[in-house]
Amino acid sequence: MIAQDVPIICVGGSAGGLDAYERLLANLPPDLGAAIVIVNHLRTVSTRLHEILPNNTDMPVELITEGLDIQPNHVFIIPSQRDLHVLNGEFRLMPISKPRGWPDVITVFLQSLTEHWHGKLVAVIVSGFDGDGADALCAIRNCGGTTIAQLPASAGQPDMPDSAIASGCVDFSLTPEQIADQIMKIIGLTLSN
């Protein structure tokens, strides 16, 4: 499997997202066969997810650095104050393009995936304020990807899942545990092709 054939699961969230990330990862096997990229939109503070989330998974959890190779069975965390892109099978970091107001780092990363990634794509929007990610869901779907929103009633802050659902381009609205089951089905189908 060459790097760009690795399925990517992008999990975008913000306020209340930690609970969703923990519940999701705790229900995914360490040999999933996909790269999980957590794009948590933080305005100013540094992320500690790479220190917290190893308690919930046996997969390695890494803070993304410039040029890092995308590998299956890893959890990758976006650093704060950066936009994330992919190019030639690697992560690329850029200065954040929207330094004021609510960031749109999830939308930026999802759009980059639709343009530069050839593997299976799954976009998951979980708990958070604002509507980051929603604007890219139709593009993910149009390139053959699957889109999932956390069931708003199961989210600490339902704004982001609600905005995702309002886009009209969400395939499934599920609890974090159900999202894990759905991801395994999607990846299972991919690996048997």
Side-chain angles (χ1 to χ4, degrees):
M1 188 185 301
I2 63 166
Q4 294 201 58
D5 288 338
V6 173
I8 289 185
I9 316 298
C10 173
V11 185
S14 183
L18 176 60
D19 173 68
Y21 307 145
E22 290 176 331
R23 290 164 62 192
L24 175 64
L25 290 175
N27 286 280
L28 287 172
D31 59 350
L32 179 64
I36 298 172
V37 184
I38 295 181
V39 183
N40 195 54
H41 85 194
L42 293 170
R43 283 190 284 182
T44 52
V45 296
S46 295
T47 185
R48 290 189 50 240
L49 290 175
H50 58 293
E51 298 166 3
I52 298 167
L53 293 177
N55 296 323
N56 303 95
T57 180
D58 289 332
M59 287 185 262
V61 179
E62 293 181 68
L63 189 65
I64 295 168
T65 54
E66 175 64 22
L68 184 66
D69 287 337
I70 298 168
Q71 302 170 55
N73 308 323
H74 282 66
V75 179
F76 297 101
I77 311 291
I78 188 174
S80 58
Q81 294 299 302
R82 293 288 181 270
D83 278 350
L84 181 62
H85 299 264
V86 293
L87 193 64
N88 301 323
E90 298 175 343
F91 289 112
R92 299 297 169 97
L93 294 169
M94 311 272 261
I96 197 161
S97 56
K98 192 178 171 193
R100 290 182 178 76
W102 291 108
D104 59 358
V105 291
I106 303 166
T107 298
V108 167
F109 181 59
L110 291 175
Q111 288 171 339
S112 180
L113 287 174
T114 64
E115 296 166 19
H116 300 290
W117 198 255
H118 308 299
K120 187 79 170 168
L121 297 176
V122 180
V124 180
I125 304 296
V126 298
S127 179
F129 287 113
D130 196 44
D132 192 9
D135 289 345
L137 295 179
C138 293
I140 290 287
R141 215 179 186 185
N142 290 341
C143 74
T146 303
T147 56
I148 304 173
Q150 182 175 358
L151 191 67
S154 73
Q157 178 43 252
D159 287 8
M160 282 175 55
D162 282 340
S163 296
I165 292 164
S167 75
C169 289
V170 166
D171 297 311
F172 303 97
S173 180
L174 305 166
T175 67
E177 292 79 9
Q178 292 168 329
I179 293 170
D181 288 342
Q182 191 61 45
I183 287 170
M184 287 187 280
K185 288 178 192 167
I186 293 164
I187 301 305
L189 291 174
T190 300
L191 297 179
S192 64
N193 288 343

